[in-house]
Amino acid sequence: MNVWIAIGLTAAGCYLAKLAGLLVPAGALERPLVQRLAALLPVALLAALTAQQTFADGQRLMVDARAAGLAAAAVALVLRAPFLVVVGAAVAVTAGVRALV
Amino acid sequence: MAEQRTPLQDLQDTGAPGTPPDGGPDAAAVRDALGVGTAVGLSGFAFGVTSAGAGLTLLQTCALSLLVFTGASQFALVGALAAGGNPFTAAAGAFFLGVRNAFYGLRLSQLLALPRPLRPLAAHWVIDETTAVTLSRPTRRSARIGFTVTGLTLYVLWNLTTLAGALGAKALGDTGAWGLDAASPAVFLALLAPMLRSTTERVAAGLAVLLVLGLLPVLPAGAPVLLSALAAPAVLFLGGRGTRRDADRTGGTTDTKPAPHTTPAPHTREDR
């Protein structure tokens, strides 16, 4: 039951967050500063999510095989590899490092 | 990689006016949308496996992908529940992660200019990937195509692969050994990379990383990522001060001069 409460709250909260963004009147976005902020926020959040999911183990920081996987993804990105190759490289290198260490 | 522009694509896109619907930016939008939608959609498998491994039932796992449909929040919720968190703190962490979609929505409502009745429907698809594809389109028409095709492809595949992952979790055994936990950060990095066009974006990204890693050990789950968003106004504030000082020196004003960190080029083009 607890799990269903969590699922219900998360689904409702996340949906309302998405909807709120779309419903803000266009006039509120005409100021250049607001526009620059809206363009820059995803950059900050995506960078933070990448770092968190690579280096966090719960509330602890650690460098493990995921870091090697992310490095592989970065190399693939620099080489302009397709999306699936980027993700595949990260997964394969992470699994490979774990198998070796 | 979907959002990375080749010089050829840029040439094709700048030739946009009068381009037939089956060529140029529209075709590029469909191609990129299918690429992102397929690749990320397939990573729903990793979520299904993780969720089942955390002890959620098949129905609960699938309900998350159908109803929440924002990967990072889903992973966060499942992780918190597996760690024994109560449903309210687990949901709060997942919600904090989902708040970023509100910022995406701000940007998208401007680019897509959707009719009001459509917005509650479109809202469910406002996520990292649809935003990234939409932002990289040169025209409103191709932005709408990019959003719709990415959303549809990703929604269908994400839910099918969630189901497959949840069903196959037992057969896989130790999911960490397969490296599947690296799929999600790789997806975020791939979405981020093409956005790092100028110093402003890079500094904001760097600052956000420092903030999240610094705050992670001391704040509850979800809060560090949300607070790292402060990197964006901080960088704009510092950049704005720098620009104003330059303007004072040259006798110009900040308003007339295009700032180096304005919205990436495609969106400021006249053809929107």
Side-chain angles (χ1 to χ4, degrees), chain B residues 62-120:
Chain B
C62 289
L64 277 173
S65 278
L66 284 165
L67 302 176
V68 177
F69 189 55
T70 171
S73 293
Q74 293 178 224
F75 276 108
L77 183 73
V78 163
L81 289 173
N86 80 56
F88 297 100
T89 49
F95 170 72
F96 280 140
L97 274 173
V99 167
R100 74 185 185 288
N101 292 324
F103 296 123
Y104 297 158
L106 283 179
R107 194 85 189 87
L108 289 184
S109 73
Q110 212 176 3
L111 291 181
L112 298 172
L114 294 172
R116 286 218 152 235
L118 262 184
R119 290 183 191 188

Side-chain angles (χ1 to χ4, degrees), chain B:
Chain B
M1 179 55 232
E3 301 80 26
Q4 277 171 349
R5 321 285 309 153
T6 62
L8 183 61
Q9 277 175 307
D10 282 332
L11 273 179
Q12 286 167 343
D13 289 354
T14 42
T19 311
D22 56 359
D26 292 358
V30 172
R31 197 174 54 232
D32 289 357
L34 286 176
V36 172
T38 306
V40 183
L42 291 178
S43 57
F45 187 81
F47 173 72
V49 169
T50 307
S51 179
L56 274 73
T57 66
L58 184 67
L59 193 59
Q60 288 167 339
T61 299
C62 289
L64 277 173
S65 278
L66 284 165
L67 302 176
V68 177
F69 189 55
T70 171
S73 293
Q74 293 178 224
F75 276 108
L77 183 73
V78 163
L81 289 173
N86 80 56
F88 297 100
T89 49
F95 170 72
F96 280 140
L97 274 173
V99 167
R100 74 185 185 288
N101 292 324
F103 296 123
Y104 297 158
L106 283 179
R107 194 85 189 87
L108 289 184
S109 73
Q110 212 176 3
L111 291 181
L112 298 172
L114 294 172
R116 286 218 152 235
L118 262 184
R119 290 183 191 188
L121 282 175
H124 199 44
W125 287 354
V126 174
I127 54 172
D128 304 295
E129 293 82 6
T130 50
T131 305
V133 171
T134 307
L135 290 186
S136 65
R137 298 302 111 199
T139 63
R140 172 158 295 148
R141 186 184 148 86
S142 62
R144 285 176 169 176
I145 292 173
F147 178 83
T148 310
V149 175
T150 310
L152 185 64
T153 315
L154 191 39
Y155 193 70
V156 170
L157 275 180
W158 178 260
N159 280 291
L160 288 177
T161 54
T162 294
L163 178 64
L167 288 173
K170 280 204 182 69
L172 275 178
D174 177 14
T175 53
W178 295 85
L180 285 171
D181 52 341
S184 161
V187 165
F188 290 131
L189 186 68
L191 293 169
L192 172 67
M195 293 184 183
L196 300 176
R197 279 178 248 228
S198 76
T199 312
T200 308
E201 276 89 16
R202 289 175 198 152
V203 172
L207 186 58
V209 168
L210 289 179
L211 276 172
V212 79
L213 294 182
L215 295 173
L216 226 141
V218 292
L219 291 180
V225 166
L226 197 61
L227 285 173
S228 71
L230 291 175
V235 167
L236 282 183
F237 176 71
L238 295 173
R241 280 176 42 159
T243 315
R244 212 167 299 132
R245 231 175 295 132
D246 292 346
D248 289 345
R249 260 204 301 274
T250 57
T253 66
T254 37
D255 290 338
T256 53
K257 181 163 119 187
H261 43 240
T262 39
T263 312
H267 321 299
T268 53
R269 284 191 200 154
E270 297 301 323
D271 56 4
R272 290 218 78 93

Side-chain angles (χ1 to χ4, degrees), chain A residues 15 18 45 48 53 59 83 98, chain B residues 39 100 120 124 176 181 184 219:
Chain A
Y15 177 75
K18 294 171 179 176
L45 285 163
Q53 300 203 355
Q59 281 194 256
F83 197 94
R98 283 202 182 120
Chain B
R100 74 185 185 288
H124 199 44
D181 52 341
S184 161
L219 291 180

